[in-house]
Amino acid sequence: MIIAQISDPHVMPPGRNHLGIDTAAMLTSAIERLNRLSPQPDCVLITGDLVDSGTDAEYAELRHRLAGLQAPCRVLPGNHDERDPFRRAFADHAYLPKDGPFLQYISDIGPLRLVALDTVIPGSLGGTLCDERLGWFAHKLQGSAGRPLIVAMHHPPMLTGIPFMDAIGLDCRDRFAEIVARHRNVQMITCGHVHRTIFTPFAGTVASTCPSTAHQVIFTLSDKAPAGWAAEPPGLQIHLWQPETGVVTHSLPIAHTQVHDFE
Ligand SMILES: [Fe+2]
Ligand SMILES: [Fe+2]
């Protein structure tokens, strides 16, 4: 199975941009890159901050751009999303819950089970999993024994070492880790929010973040550095899952790549 991941497209309406970056056009570049993949991914996972300020106009532009994607996609919300407009925009995505306070779900992609979590706190940049969401997660993991699964969420469950991003990270890391550690079938926990590629061992599995299709967070490990964005090359990730290997992740730049044979 091939799960492609893109994250944090922060789509804005036509004519608007983020610090000079046309985020909608950059999502289209990512989609063109995904469409050129052969074999095609079984699923494209988009890990939150789908739009920049959560308006219906932004979601309309997002859906307009996503219409060009050949592979099926699964979406989950980030802190820049708004649940109600998000729900309206993706009303045709049957895997999303039709009611209830949170946008978390299970979706099976062949033998792989995707467990998507909603870490949003309305009005906050940081993320959480309250008792209700953690309880749902623990219950779903219990019911998925022996099945290879990938957990996806916007806010990563680990400290990244980038101080200004850790300050707006997930506020329940230990409780989340306790649940994950009870299950050996969690292949990886893959996230967005940090707009960079990061991998770390976590609770007996691997936790990772995916770069943005648009702007990247500046790289710094200094607590004196101010928060900032960088127009570094955007990227995407390809998670190849095979029974013999588990998940193997490839990071790809989003750019037109000229391919030459060795000969
Ligand atoms: Fe973001
Ligand atoms: Fe975010």
Side-chain angles (χ1 to χ4, degrees):
M1 304 303 296
I2 301 172
I3 311 293
Q5 183 182 1
I6 57 175
S7 200
D8 295 78
H10 286 258
V11 166
M12 302 177 81
R16 293 197 52 211
N17 64 61
H18 188 98
L19 305 172
I21 292 174
D22 185 340
T23 54
M26 293 185 82
L27 175 60
T28 292
S29 297
I31 288 168
E32 287 168 354
R33 183 76 179 93
L34 290 164
N35 287 347
R36 288 198 300 273
L37 292 170
S38 179
Q40 276 285 285
D42 296 288
C43 175
V44 176
L45 172 64
I46 314 179
T47 38
D49 286 357
L50 304 183
V51 300
D52 201 54
S53 55
T55 63
D56 287 315
E58 287 182 339
Y59 285 108
E61 181 65 16
L62 171 70
R63 287 305 308 259
H64 170 66
R65 302 278 173 166
L66 284 178
L69 179 64
Q70 288 168 13
C73 70
R74 300 287 181 274
V75 293
L76 59 86
N79 53 292
H80 280 259
D81 291 296
E82 291 285 341
R83 289 193 187 105
D84 289 342
F86 185 113
R87 255 186 227 279
R88 284 195 289 276
F90 290 99
D92 58 328
H93 281 220
Y95 58 86
L96 283 170
K98 293 286 169 252
D99 45 32
F102 306 116
L103 290 164
Q104 21 188 60
Y105 56 88
I106 278 182
S107 179
D108 290 335
I109 302 150
L112 258 189
R113 173 158 286 187
L114 172 68
V115 181
L117 296 174
D118 175 345
T119 54
V120 172
I121 308 170
S124 170
L125 299 175
T128 197
L129 291 165
C130 55
D131 289 349
E132 186 177 346
R133 281 174 273 185
L134 281 176
W136 180 94
F137 179 54
H139 180 69
K140 295 301 179 193
L141 287 196
Q142 247 167 13
S144 305
R147 206 170 168 143
L149 62 87
I150 290 180
V151 177
M153 55 208 271
H154 182 65
H155 294 83
M158 71 288 205
L159 289 173
T160 65
I162 301 176
F164 63 83
M165 290 308 291
D166 287 341
I168 57 167
L170 190 74
D171 70 0
C172 56
R173 289 185 293 272
D174 291 347
R175 293 183 69 203
F176 176 76
E178 262 174 51
I179 296 169
V180 171
R182 288 184 229 140
H183 300 276
R184 310 315 303 172
N185 54 329
V186 178
Q187 307 284 297
M188 74 185 306
I189 301 156
T190 193
C191 311
H193 190 52
V194 191
H195 294 222
R196 303 201 67 82
T197 300
I198 304 169
F199 282 83
T200 188
F202 182 89
T205 182
V206 173
S208 65
T209 62
C210 181
S212 168
T213 54
H215 44 294
Q216 312 308 310
V217 161
I218 58 166
F219 173 71
T220 180
L221 302 177
S222 164
D223 57 10
K224 296 184 180 54
W229 302 111
E232 286 178 11
L236 59 86
Q237 292 177 341
I238 303 293
H239 308 298
L240 169 67
W241 181 86
Q242 301 171 110
E244 320 82 60
T245 59
V247 173
V248 177
T249 295
H250 298 255
S251 279
L252 305 187
I254 298 170
H256 187 72
T257 311
Q258 280 196 316
V259 178
H260 302 275
D261 292 338
F262 280 138
E263 295 301 312

PDB file of all heavy atoms in Angstrom, residues 168-201:
ATOM      1  N   ILE A 168       3.419  25.667  21.004  1.00  0.00           N
ATOM      2  CA  ILE A 168       2.043  25.544  20.493  1.00  0.00           C
ATOM      3  C   ILE A 168       1.804  24.098  20.014  1.00  0.00           C
ATOM      4  O   ILE A 168       1.162  23.858  19.003  1.00  0.00           O
ATOM      5  CB  ILE A 168       1.741  26.568  19.378  1.00  0.00           C
ATOM      6  CG1 ILE A 168       2.741  26.441  18.205  1.00  0.00           C
ATOM      7  CG2 ILE A 168       1.732  27.974  19.929  1.00  0.00           C
ATOM      8  CD1 ILE A 168       2.310  27.207  16.958  1.00  0.00           C
ATOM      9  N   GLY A 169       2.381  23.160  20.768  1.00  0.00           N
ATOM     10  CA  GLY A 169       2.250  21.740  20.416  1.00  0.00           C
ATOM     11  C   GLY A 169       1.054  21.091  21.099  1.00  0.00           C
ATOM     12  O   GLY A 169       0.108  21.756  21.522  1.00  0.00           O
ATOM     13  N   LEU A 170       1.130  19.762  21.221  1.00  0.00           N
ATOM     14  CA  LEU A 170       0.054  18.984  21.852  1.00  0.00           C
ATOM     15  C   LEU A 170       0.254  19.027  23.368  1.00  0.00           C
ATOM     16  O   LEU A 170       1.371  18.812  23.853  1.00  0.00           O
ATOM     17  CB  LEU A 170       0.121  17.535  21.349  1.00  0.00           C
ATOM     18  CG  LEU A 170      -1.054  16.638  21.710  1.00  0.00           C
ATOM     19  CD1 LEU A 170      -2.283  16.998  20.865  1.00  0.00           C
ATOM     20  CD2 LEU A 170      -0.696  15.167  21.496  1.00  0.00           C
ATOM     21  N   ASP A 171      -0.832  19.248  24.106  1.00  0.00           N
ATOM     22  CA  ASP A 171      -0.670  19.453  25.555  1.00  0.00           C
ATOM     23  C   ASP A 171      -0.877  18.171  26.382  1.00  0.00           C
ATOM     24  O   ASP A 171      -0.914  18.242  27.603  1.00  0.00           O
ATOM     25  CB  ASP A 171      -1.605  20.563  26.041  1.00  0.00           C
ATOM     26  CG  ASP A 171      -3.074  20.149  26.006  1.00  0.00           C
ATOM     27  OD1 ASP A 171      -3.361  19.011  25.604  1.00  0.00           O
ATOM     28  OD2 ASP A 171      -3.921  20.977  26.383  1.00  0.00           O
ATOM     29  N   CYS A 172      -1.024  17.028  25.716  1.00  0.00           N
ATOM     30  CA  CYS A 172      -1.312  15.796  26.486  1.00  0.00           C
ATOM     31  C   CYS A 172      -0.406  14.664  25.990  1.00  0.00           C
ATOM     32  O   CYS A 172      -0.875  13.539  25.786  1.00  0.00           O
ATOM     33  CB  CYS A 172      -2.769  15.410  26.324  1.00  0.00           C
ATOM     34  SG  CYS A 172      -3.247  15.214  24.596  1.00  0.00           S
ATOM     35  N   ARG A 173       0.867  14.990  25.811  1.00  0.00           N
ATOM     36  CA  ARG A 173       1.793  14.023  25.195  1.00  0.00           C
ATOM     37  C   ARG A 173       1.892  12.729  25.996  1.00  0.00           C
ATOM     38  O   ARG A 173       1.898  11.631  25.431  1.00  0.00           O
ATOM     39  CB  ARG A 173       3.184  14.659  25.045  1.00  0.00           C
ATOM     40  CG  ARG A 173       3.249  15.742  23.988  1.00  0.00           C
ATOM     41  CD  ARG A 173       4.674  16.237  23.812  1.00  0.00           C
ATOM     42  NE  ARG A 173       5.132  16.930  25.001  1.00  0.00           N
ATOM     43  CZ  ARG A 173       4.944  18.238  25.215  1.00  0.00           C
ATOM     44  NH1 ARG A 173       4.336  18.967  24.321  1.00  0.00           N
ATOM     45  NH2 ARG A 173       5.364  18.797  26.324  1.00  0.00           N
ATOM     46  N   ASP A 174       1.983  12.839  27.322  1.00  0.00           N
ATOM     47  CA  ASP A 174       2.202  11.638  28.136  1.00  0.00           C
ATOM     48  C   ASP A 174       0.987  10.711  28.115  1.00  0.00           C
ATOM     49  O   ASP A 174       1.129   9.489  27.997  1.00  0.00           O
ATOM     50  CB  ASP A 174       2.533  12.023  29.583  1.00  0.00           C
ATOM     51  CG  ASP A 174       3.899  12.690  29.677  1.00  0.00           C
ATOM     52  OD1 ASP A 174       4.660  12.624  28.686  1.00  0.00           O
ATOM     53  OD2 ASP A 174       4.201  13.292  30.727  1.00  0.00           O
ATOM     54  N   ARG A 175      -0.195  11.284  28.211  1.00  0.00           N
ATOM     55  CA  ARG A 175      -1.411  10.450  28.208  1.00  0.00           C
ATOM     56  C   ARG A 175      -1.586   9.777  26.848  1.00  0.00           C
ATOM     57  O   ARG A 175      -1.988   8.622  26.762  1.00  0.00           O
ATOM     58  CB  ARG A 175      -2.639  11.299  28.544  1.00  0.00           C
ATOM     59  CG  ARG A 175      -2.636  11.817  29.982  1.00  0.00           C
ATOM     60  CD  ARG A 175      -3.904  12.585  30.265  1.00  0.00           C
ATOM     61  NE  ARG A 175      -5.074  11.709  30.300  1.00  0.00           N
ATOM     62  CZ  ARG A 175      -6.320  12.139  30.097  1.00  0.00           C
ATOM     63  NH1 ARG A 175      -6.556  13.401  29.845  1.00  0.00           N
ATOM     64  NH2 ARG A 175      -7.326  11.293  30.148  1.00  0.00           N
ATOM     65  N   PHE A 176      -1.273  10.500  25.787  1.00  0.00           N
ATOM     66  CA  PHE A 176      -1.366   9.926  24.442  1.00  0.00           C
ATOM     67  C   PHE A 176      -0.349   8.783  24.297  1.00  0.00           C
ATOM     68  O   PHE A 176      -0.664   7.701  23.789  1.00  0.00           O
ATOM     69  CB  PHE A 176      -1.115  11.031  23.414  1.00  0.00           C
ATOM     70  CG  PHE A 176      -1.096  10.555  21.995  1.00  0.00           C
ATOM     71  CD1 PHE A 176      -2.269  10.248  21.335  1.00  0.00           C
ATOM     72  CD2 PHE A 176       0.105  10.401  21.311  1.00  0.00           C
ATOM     73  CE1 PHE A 176      -2.252   9.798  20.014  1.00  0.00           C
ATOM     74  CE2 PHE A 176       0.141   9.961  20.006  1.00  0.00           C
ATOM     75  CZ  PHE A 176      -1.040   9.652  19.350  1.00  0.00           C
ATOM     76  N   ALA A 177       0.898   9.032  24.780  1.00  0.00           N
ATOM     77  CA  ALA A 177       1.959   8.024  24.662  1.00  0.00           C
ATOM     78  C   ALA A 177       1.589   6.746  25.416  1.00  0.00           C
ATOM     79  O   ALA A 177       1.872   5.637  24.954  1.00  0.00           O
ATOM     80  CB  ALA A 177       3.275   8.597  25.184  1.00  0.00           C
ATOM     81  N   GLU A 178       0.963   6.898  26.577  1.00  0.00           N
ATOM     82  CA  GLU A 178       0.560   5.713  27.361  1.00  0.00           C
ATOM     83  C   GLU A 178      -0.363   4.806  26.559  1.00  0.00           C
ATOM     84  O   GLU A 178      -0.246   3.584  26.599  1.00  0.00           O
ATOM     85  CB  GLU A 178      -0.240   6.169  28.594  1.00  0.00           C
ATOM     86  CG  GLU A 178       0.540   6.268  29.864  1.00  0.00           C
ATOM     87  CD  GLU A 178      -0.338   6.866  30.947  1.00  0.00           C
ATOM     88  OE1 GLU A 178      -1.473   6.370  31.154  1.00  0.00           O
ATOM     89  OE2 GLU A 178       0.114   7.855  31.554  1.00  0.00           O
ATOM     90  N   ILE A 179      -1.293   5.403  25.836  1.00  0.00           N
ATOM     91  CA  ILE A 179      -2.243   4.600  25.040  1.00  0.00           C
ATOM     92  C   ILE A 179      -1.512   3.924  23.878  1.00  0.00           C
ATOM     93  O   ILE A 179      -1.661   2.723  23.642  1.00  0.00           O
ATOM     94  CB  ILE A 179      -3.398   5.488  24.514  1.00  0.00           C
ATOM     95  CG1 ILE A 179      -4.209   6.036  25.687  1.00  0.00           C
ATOM     96  CG2 ILE A 179      -4.287   4.702  23.547  1.00  0.00           C
ATOM     97  CD1 ILE A 179      -5.198   7.127  25.310  1.00  0.00           C
ATOM     98  N   VAL A 180      -0.688   4.693  23.180  1.00  0.00           N
ATOM     99  CA  VAL A 180       0.025   4.133  22.022  1.00  0.00           C
ATOM    100  C   VAL A 180       0.919   2.976  22.458  1.00  0.00           C
ATOM    101  O   VAL A 180       0.986   1.938  21.781  1.00  0.00           O
ATOM    102  CB  VAL A 180       0.851   5.233  21.316  1.00  0.00           C
ATOM    103  CG1 VAL A 180       1.759   4.629  20.244  1.00  0.00           C
ATOM    104  CG2 VAL A 180      -0.065   6.286  20.707  1.00  0.00           C
ATOM    105  N   ALA A 181       1.587   3.130  23.592  1.00  0.00           N
ATOM    106  CA  ALA A 181       2.571   2.136  24.041  1.00  0.00           C
ATOM    107  C   ALA A 181       1.946   0.772  24.318  1.00  0.00           C
ATOM    108  O   ALA A 181       2.647  -0.239  24.349  1.00  0.00           O
ATOM    109  CB  ALA A 181       3.295   2.651  25.287  1.00  0.00           C
ATOM    110  N   ARG A 182       0.613   0.725  24.510  1.00  0.00           N
ATOM    111  CA  ARG A 182      -0.043  -0.558  24.783  1.00  0.00           C
ATOM    112  C   ARG A 182      -0.271  -1.377  23.513  1.00  0.00           C
ATOM    113  O   ARG A 182      -0.747  -2.499  23.593  1.00  0.00           O
ATOM    114  CB  ARG A 182      -1.419  -0.302  25.430  1.00  0.00           C
ATOM    115  CG  ARG A 182      -1.359   0.179  26.857  1.00  0.00           C
ATOM    116  CD  ARG A 182      -2.805   0.282  27.394  1.00  0.00           C
ATOM    117  NE  ARG A 182      -3.000   1.567  28.028  1.00  0.00           N
ATOM    118  CZ  ARG A 182      -4.100   2.312  27.923  1.00  0.00           C
ATOM    119  NH1 ARG A 182      -5.118   1.898  27.188  1.00  0.00           N
ATOM    120  NH2 ARG A 182      -4.196   3.451  28.560  1.00  0.00           N
ATOM    121  N   HIS A 183       0.011  -0.785  22.339  1.00  0.00           N
ATOM    122  CA  HIS A 183      -0.362  -1.445  21.073  1.00  0.00           C
ATOM    123  C   HIS A 183       0.840  -1.535  20.144  1.00  0.00           C
ATOM    124  O   HIS A 183       1.368  -0.515  19.713  1.00  0.00           O
ATOM    125  CB  HIS A 183      -1.503  -0.673  20.410  1.00  0.00           C
ATOM    126  CG  HIS A 183      -2.722  -0.599  21.264  1.00  0.00           C
ATOM    127  ND1 HIS A 183      -3.666  -1.596  21.310  1.00  0.00           N
ATOM    128  CD2 HIS A 183      -3.128   0.339  22.161  1.00  0.00           C
ATOM    129  CE1 HIS A 183      -4.611  -1.272  22.171  1.00  0.00           C
ATOM    130  NE2 HIS A 183      -4.312  -0.100  22.707  1.00  0.00           N
ATOM    131  N   ARG A 184       1.234  -2.755  19.831  1.00  0.00           N
ATOM    132  CA  ARG A 184       2.420  -2.955  18.994  1.00  0.00           C
ATOM    133  C   ARG A 184       2.120  -2.815  17.506  1.00  0.00           C
ATOM    134  O   ARG A 184       3.024  -2.858  16.678  1.00  0.00           O
ATOM    135  CB  ARG A 184       3.046  -4.343  19.234  1.00  0.00           C
ATOM    136  CG  ARG A 184       3.287  -4.707  20.675  1.00  0.00           C
ATOM    137  CD  ARG A 184       3.924  -3.602  21.492  1.00  0.00           C
ATOM    138  NE  ARG A 184       5.200  -3.130  20.953  1.00  0.00           N
ATOM    139  CZ  ARG A 184       5.859  -2.074  21.402  1.00  0.00           C
ATOM    140  NH1 ARG A 184       5.356  -1.341  22.361  1.00  0.00           N
ATOM    141  NH2 ARG A 184       7.014  -1.751  20.871  1.00  0.00           N
ATOM    142  N   ASN A 185       0.856  -2.690  17.150  1.00  0.00           N
ATOM    143  CA  ASN A 185       0.501  -2.642  15.724  1.00  0.00           C
ATOM    144  C   ASN A 185       0.449  -1.221  15.164  1.00  0.00           C
ATOM    145  O   ASN A 185       0.091  -1.034  14.008  1.00  0.00           O
ATOM    146  CB  ASN A 185      -0.841  -3.351  15.484  1.00  0.00           C
ATOM    147  CG  ASN A 185      -1.963  -2.813  16.355  1.00  0.00           C
ATOM    148  OD1 ASN A 185      -1.715  -2.364  17.482  1.00  0.00           O
ATOM    149  ND2 ASN A 185      -3.173  -2.854  15.855  1.00  0.00           N
ATOM    150  N   VAL A 186       0.809  -0.215  15.987  1.00  0.00           N
ATOM    151  CA  VAL A 186       0.851   1.162  15.471  1.00  0.00           C
ATOM    152  C   VAL A 186       2.147   1.314  14.663  1.00  0.00           C
ATOM    153  O   VAL A 186       3.244   1.302  15.221  1.00  0.00           O
ATOM    154  CB  VAL A 186       0.798   2.204  16.614  1.00  0.00           C
ATOM    155  CG1 VAL A 186       0.887   3.622  16.043  1.00  0.00           C
ATOM    156  CG2 VAL A 186      -0.478   2.029  17.437  1.00  0.00           C
ATOM    157  N   GLN A 187       2.009   1.420  13.362  1.00  0.00           N
ATOM    158  CA  GLN A 187       3.178   1.479  12.470  1.00  0.00           C
ATOM    159  C   GLN A 187       3.881   2.833  12.561  1.00  0.00           C
ATOM    160  O   GLN A 187       5.089   2.920  12.481  1.00  0.00           O
ATOM    161  CB  GLN A 187       2.742   1.250  11.023  1.00  0.00           C
ATOM    162  CG  GLN A 187       1.930  -0.001  10.803  1.00  0.00           C
ATOM    163  CD  GLN A 187       2.801  -1.242  10.826  1.00  0.00           C
ATOM    164  OE1 GLN A 187       3.671  -1.391   9.994  1.00  0.00           O
ATOM    165  NE2 GLN A 187       2.559  -2.120  11.775  1.00  0.00           N
ATOM    166  N   MET A 188       3.102   3.887  12.648  1.00  0.00           N
ATOM    167  CA  MET A 188       3.669   5.227  12.796  1.00  0.00           C
ATOM    168  C   MET A 188       2.573   6.206  13.190  1.00  0.00           C
ATOM    169  O   MET A 188       1.382   5.919  13.012  1.00  0.00           O
ATOM    170  CB  MET A 188       4.379   5.690  11.518  1.00  0.00           C
ATOM    171  CG  MET A 188       3.477   6.092  10.384  1.00  0.00           C
ATOM    172  SD  MET A 188       4.383   6.504   8.850  1.00  0.00           S
ATOM    173  CE  MET A 188       5.552   7.724   9.405  1.00  0.00           C
ATOM    174  N   ILE A 189       3.013   7.352  13.713  1.00  0.00           N
ATOM    175  CA  ILE A 189       2.093   8.455  14.015  1.00  0.00           C
ATOM    176  C   ILE A 189       2.573   9.613  13.157  1.00  0.00           C
ATOM    177  O   ILE A 189       3.710  10.084  13.322  1.00  0.00           O
ATOM    178  CB  ILE A 189       2.176   8.843  15.504  1.00  0.00           C
ATOM    179  CG1 ILE A 189       1.826   7.638  16.374  1.00  0.00           C
ATOM    180  CG2 ILE A 189       1.266  10.030  15.804  1.00  0.00           C
ATOM    181  CD1 ILE A 189       2.407   7.720  17.762  1.00  0.00           C
ATOM    182  N   THR A 190       1.758  10.030  12.213  1.00  0.00           N
ATOM    183  CA  THR A 190       2.250  11.017  11.268  1.00  0.00           C
ATOM    184  C   THR A 190       1.410  12.289  11.329  1.00  0.00           C
ATOM    185  O   THR A 190       0.190  12.224  11.447  1.00  0.00           O
ATOM    186  CB  THR A 190       2.384  10.408   9.858  1.00  0.00           C
ATOM    187  OG1 THR A 190       3.133  11.307   9.063  1.00  0.00           O
ATOM    188  CG2 THR A 190       1.034  10.129   9.217  1.00  0.00           C
ATOM    189  N   CYS A 191       2.093  13.430  11.290  1.00  0.00           N
ATOM    190  CA  CYS A 191       1.482  14.697  11.680  1.00  0.00           C
ATOM    191  C   CYS A 191       1.873  15.817  10.718  1.00  0.00           C
ATOM    192  O   CYS A 191       2.643  15.607   9.781  1.00  0.00           O
ATOM    193  CB  CYS A 191       1.958  15.072  13.093  1.00  0.00           C
ATOM    194  SG  CYS A 191       1.805  13.716  14.276  1.00  0.00           S
ATOM    195  N   GLY A 192       1.343  17.002  11.013  1.00  0.00           N
ATOM    196  CA  GLY A 192       1.707  18.201  10.260  1.00  0.00           C
ATOM    197  C   GLY A 192       2.141  19.276  11.240  1.00  0.00           C
ATOM    198  O   GLY A 192       2.924  19.013  12.141  1.00  0.00           O
ATOM    199  N   HIS A 193       1.626  20.495  11.064  1.00  0.00           N
ATOM    200  CA  HIS A 193       1.741  21.615  12.001  1.00  0.00           C
ATOM    201  C   HIS A 193       3.121  22.255  12.033  1.00  0.00           C
ATOM    202  O   HIS A 193       3.222  23.472  12.122  1.00  0.00           O
ATOM    203  CB  HIS A 193       1.335  21.156  13.406  1.00  0.00           C
ATOM    204  CG  HIS A 193       1.184  22.266  14.404  1.00  0.00           C
ATOM    205  ND1 HIS A 193       0.391  23.380  14.170  1.00  0.00           N
ATOM    206  CD2 HIS A 193       1.727  22.450  15.656  1.00  0.00           C
ATOM    207  CE1 HIS A 193       0.448  24.179  15.238  1.00  0.00           C
ATOM    208  NE2 HIS A 193       1.258  23.639  16.144  1.00  0.00           N
ATOM    209  N   VAL A 194       4.188  21.466  12.003  1.00  0.00           N
ATOM    210  CA  VAL A 194       5.536  22.024  12.178  1.00  0.00           C
ATOM    211  C   VAL A 194       6.149  22.453  10.838  1.00  0.00           C
ATOM    212  O   VAL A 194       7.193  23.106  10.808  1.00  0.00           O
ATOM    213  CB  VAL A 194       6.453  21.023  12.922  1.00  0.00           C
ATOM    214  CG1 VAL A 194       7.761  21.684  13.335  1.00  0.00           C
ATOM    215  CG2 VAL A 194       5.762  20.491  14.167  1.00  0.00           C
ATOM    216  N   HIS A 195       5.499  22.098   9.734  1.00  0.00           N
ATOM    217  CA  HIS A 195       5.976  22.526   8.409  1.00  0.00           C
ATOM    218  C   HIS A 195       7.443  22.152   8.192  1.00  0.00           C
ATOM    219  O   HIS A 195       8.214  22.919   7.605  1.00  0.00           O
ATOM    220  CB  HIS A 195       5.820  24.052   8.221  1.00  0.00           C
ATOM    221  CG  HIS A 195       4.413  24.548   8.181  1.00  0.00           C
ATOM    222  ND1 HIS A 195       3.986  25.508   7.277  1.00  0.00           N
ATOM    223  CD2 HIS A 195       3.327  24.239   8.923  1.00  0.00           C
ATOM    224  CE1 HIS A 195       2.695  25.770   7.480  1.00  0.00           C
ATOM    225  NE2 HIS A 195       2.285  25.019   8.483  1.00  0.00           N
ATOM    226  N   ARG A 196       7.835  20.995   8.669  1.00  0.00           N
ATOM    227  CA  ARG A 196       9.190  20.484   8.435  1.00  0.00           C
ATOM    228  C   ARG A 196       9.138  18.958   8.513  1.00  0.00           C
ATOM    229  O   ARG A 196       8.201  18.395   9.082  1.00  0.00           O
ATOM    230  CB  ARG A 196      10.192  20.962   9.502  1.00  0.00           C
ATOM    231  CG  ARG A 196      10.334  22.442   9.678  1.00  0.00           C
ATOM    232  CD  ARG A 196      11.666  22.782  10.351  1.00  0.00           C
ATOM    233  NE  ARG A 196      12.776  22.467   9.477  1.00  0.00           N
ATOM    234  CZ  ARG A 196      13.202  23.263   8.494  1.00  0.00           C
ATOM    235  NH1 ARG A 196      12.653  24.424   8.281  1.00  0.00           N
ATOM    236  NH2 ARG A 196      14.208  22.895   7.731  1.00  0.00           N
ATOM    237  N   THR A 197      10.178  18.285   8.011  1.00  0.00           N
ATOM    238  CA  THR A 197      10.302  16.839   8.159  1.00  0.00           C
ATOM    239  C   THR A 197      11.041  16.527   9.453  1.00  0.00           C
ATOM    240  O   THR A 197      12.183  16.948   9.626  1.00  0.00           O
ATOM    241  CB  THR A 197      11.097  16.247   6.980  1.00  0.00           C
ATOM    242  OG1 THR A 197      10.396  16.541   5.774  1.00  0.00           O
ATOM    243  CG2 THR A 197      11.247  14.742   7.123  1.00  0.00           C
ATOM    244  N   ILE A 198      10.391  15.805  10.344  1.00  0.00           N
ATOM    245  CA  ILE A 198      11.000  15.418  11.630  1.00  0.00           C
ATOM    246  C   ILE A 198      10.566  13.985  11.932  1.00  0.00           C
ATOM    247  O   ILE A 198       9.395  13.641  11.747  1.00  0.00           O
ATOM    248  CB  ILE A 198      10.532  16.351  12.771  1.00  0.00           C
ATOM    249  CG1 ILE A 198      10.839  17.825  12.442  1.00  0.00           C
ATOM    250  CG2 ILE A 198      11.178  15.958  14.106  1.00  0.00           C
ATOM    251  CD1 ILE A 198      10.190  18.816  13.387  1.00  0.00           C
ATOM    252  N   PHE A 199      11.505  13.170  12.382  1.00  0.00           N
ATOM    253  CA  PHE A 199      11.198  11.788  12.801  1.00  0.00           C
ATOM    254  C   PHE A 199      11.789  11.541  14.176  1.00  0.00           C
ATOM    255  O   PHE A 199      12.904  11.994  14.459  1.00  0.00           O
ATOM    256  CB  PHE A 199      11.826  10.765  11.838  1.00  0.00           C
ATOM    257  CG  PHE A 199      11.055  10.599  10.556  1.00  0.00           C
ATOM    258  CD1 PHE A 199      11.240  11.483   9.511  1.00  0.00           C
ATOM    259  CD2 PHE A 199      10.144   9.568  10.412  1.00  0.00           C
ATOM    260  CE1 PHE A 199      10.529  11.345   8.335  1.00  0.00           C
ATOM    261  CE2 PHE A 199       9.430   9.430   9.246  1.00  0.00           C
ATOM    262  CZ  PHE A 199       9.617  10.308   8.197  1.00  0.00           C
ATOM    263  N   THR A 200      11.093  10.794  15.018  1.00  0.00           N
ATOM    264  CA  THR A 200      11.654  10.415  16.306  1.00  0.00           C
ATOM    265  C   THR A 200      10.991   9.130  16.803  1.00  0.00           C
ATOM    266  O   THR A 200       9.813   8.899  16.503  1.00  0.00           O
ATOM    267  CB  THR A 200      11.458  11.543  17.350  1.00  0.00           C
ATOM    268  OG1 THR A 200      12.176  11.215  18.539  1.00  0.00           O
ATOM    269  CG2 THR A 200      10.002  11.750  17.709  1.00  0.00           C
ATOM    270  N   PRO A 201      11.753   8.294  17.559  1.00  0.00           N
ATOM    271  CA  PRO A 201      11.092   7.161  18.217  1.00  0.00           C
ATOM    272  C   PRO A 201      10.066   7.697  19.213  1.00  0.00           C
ATOM    273  O   PRO A 201      10.306   8.724  19.868  1.00  0.00           O
ATOM    274  CB  PRO A 201      12.229   6.453  18.969  1.00  0.00           C
ATOM    275  CG  PRO A 201      13.488   6.984  18.369  1.00  0.00           C
ATOM    276  CD  PRO A 201      13.188   8.358  17.867  1.00  0.00           C
TER     277      PRO A 201
END
